[in-house]
Amino acid sequence: MKLYSLPHSPYAARVRIQARMDALPLEVLPPPVPLRTEAFLERFPLGKVPVLELESGDTIAESWAIMEYLAETAPAGRSALLPATALERAQMRMLGRYADFHLAANALFPLFRAAMGIGQEDADGIAEGIAESLRAELMKGERLISDFGSDRQLTLGDIALAPTMLYLQELAPVAGVKKPLEDFPALGAWWSWINRSAAVSETLQEVRTAYHAFVDSLVAKA
Ligand SMILES: N[C@@H](CCC(=O)N[C@@H](CS)C(=O)NCC(=O)O)C(=O)O
């Protein structure tokens, strides 16, 4: 199987973490045709990476769809990242949706836009607004993670959240927040917990390195 991935992509990183954890036979490659082109859209209708290409030639886009497919078809049998009970699987999906529809949508994307200098007319006001939604979204995560308790296995939900949380910590200083997890002990403990997995910490380091190289290239251009 081929995984079309970019080193800085938090969505592709999810799948790369999973591939390391479950020793999946994935060949990780850059997109075979340039992103944001008609040729890419013709081959991959959703227009984004990651994309998983199967031996059959079928392709799967959307990180969550890829992760569930890979967990259900893992060569060593059903992946331990997919919990056994319906309740635990619902909790796993809640965490994935929290990452995408709450934390990323309401805190990370505004941070990205601010970091790129988009809509900077009232930079101080914007930073204050972002810092406030960042706190509100982190509080949701704090309560969610506390509710799940500490005696549980790592799931696809944790893997989905990890790269989002990495970017959040990288970008929060843009809104004047130096250590965003400082006031959220359950999230702080969760962050330490998932980083004890070599698959998580090694993949996140790849993302961090690629992101810093991207920022350095912007600075060099300016
Ligand atoms: N919801 C998608 C998001 C994927 C995504 O946004 N990928 C970015 C890279 S991080 C991308 O391909 N961007 C290209 C573009 O927007 O043109 C997923 O979970 O896979």
Side-chain angles (χ1 to χ4, degrees):
M1 290 179 290
K2 291 178 178 147
L3 178 73
Y4 299 124
S5 162
L6 289 169
H8 68 270
S9 166
Y11 303 101
R14 298 169 167 181
V15 186
R16 300 206 308 275
I17 293 173
Q18 177 181 12
R20 282 186 158 130
M21 280 187 166
D22 282 350
L24 301 176
L26 276 195
E27 197 182 350
V28 178
L29 297 166
V33 279
L35 267 173
R36 299 183 186 177
T37 61
E38 199 46 40
F40 190 91
L41 282 170
E42 258 172 37
R43 227 171 126 177
F44 310 115
L46 297 186
K48 298 204 185 261
V49 291
V51 172
L52 182 71
E53 188 169 309
L54 307 181
E55 299 301 331
S56 62
D58 289 306
T59 58
I60 306 173
E62 285 293 327
S63 55
W64 191 261
I66 296 172
M67 287 196 297
E68 286 202 310
Y69 172 82
L70 289 173
E72 285 170 11
T73 59
R78 199 166 173 280
S79 169
L81 294 167
L82 207 52
T85 71
L87 174 61
E88 288 166 319
R89 285 196 298 281
Q91 291 174 332
M92 166 192 86
R93 294 187 183 106
M94 276 167 73
L95 214 45
R97 290 188 153 241
Y98 162 66
D100 284 351
F101 299 123
H102 297 258
L103 198 57
N106 301 328
L108 186 58
F109 293 164
L111 276 169
F112 262 123
R113 284 194 289 273
M116 296 298 142
I118 302 167
Q120 286 286 34
E121 296 78 32
D122 170 23
D124 287 349
I126 288 173
E128 232 170 78
I130 296 176
E132 203 172 301
S133 30
L134 177 61
R135 268 191 301 277
E137 295 307 326
L138 287 173
M139 184 49 88
K140 291 180 190 172
E142 176 76 6
R143 293 184 170 130
L144 202 58
I145 294 278
S146 305
D147 284 354
F148 294 166
S150 53
D151 182 26
R152 66 181 184 89
Q153 296 283 317
L154 207 130
T155 73
L156 294 181
D158 298 292
I159 291 180
L161 183 55
T164 308
M165 201 59 94
L166 167 74
Y167 266 106
L168 201 96
Q169 291 173 84
E170 290 288 332
L171 287 164
V174 169
V177 183
K178 287 210 173 65
K179 292 187 176 172
L181 300 189
E182 204 168 38
D183 297 330
F184 301 99
L187 278 181
W190 171 84
W191 181 247
S192 304
W193 176 58
I194 55 154
N195 273 282
R196 284 203 284 278
S197 151
V200 173
S201 58
E202 281 167 23
T203 310
L204 292 186
Q205 191 49 43
E206 289 169 1
V207 177
R208 209 178 269 116
T209 304
Y211 169 68
H212 285 291
F214 168 70
V215 172
D216 291 347
S217 75
L218 288 186
V219 173
K221 268 189 219 152

